[in-house]
Amino acid sequence: MSTTTELAELHDLIGGLRRCVTSLKSRYGDTPAMRRIVIDADRILADIELLDIDAGELDLARAGVTESGEKIAIPDTDYNAEFWRDVDDEGVGGHSRA
């Protein structure tokens, strides 16, 4: 199943959830439990909308990525010691610090 189909199904399901919540709210009124359920349903809807945005951005990002297939060789030889001059060891502190 594609992401688009899954998101469409999710939208249908959240629509059903919202209809049920509205029906329950009219039956049970504005009680603390109903307020929590309404807030939760609204939060789920907001999260799904954010997921829609993220999925769209990810699809665009995937469409823009092209792999050249070119491999870059990285030598196994040591780097020149001058390369590491004035570099601090992360998490350990600098070499010149006392």
Side-chain angles (χ1 to χ4, degrees):
M1 185 184 293
S2 73
T3 304
T4 305
T5 306
E6 291 166 338
L7 288 173
E9 183 180 355
L10 195 55
H11 278 284
D12 290 342
L13 292 169
I14 192 66
L17 175 65
R18 290 187 63 96
R19 285 188 295 279
C20 289
V21 167
T22 301
S23 176
L24 287 170
K25 188 174 179 183
S26 67
R27 182 174 179 183
Y28 294 110
D30 192 31
T31 62
M34 272 315 307
R35 282 193 297 266
R36 284 192 301 272
I37 291 171
V38 168
I39 289 169
D40 288 345
D42 289 342
R43 181 188 49 79
I44 291 170
L45 179 62
D47 288 344
I48 291 169
E49 289 171 357
L50 289 174
L51 179 62
D52 276 339
I53 293 167
D54 290 346
E57 289 175 356
L58 287 174
D59 287 341
L60 289 175
R62 284 188 195 121
V65 173
T66 56
E67 293 186 29
S68 68
E70 178 185 352
K71 293 185 179 183
I72 300 172
I74 299 174
D76 289 333
T77 58
D78 289 336
Y79 289 104
N80 185 337
E82 190 63 21
F83 179 80
W84 300 107
R85 187 172 49 93
D86 296 329
V87 175
D88 292 338
D89 291 331
E90 253 183 65
V92 178
H95 295 290
S96 61
R97 294 188 189 131

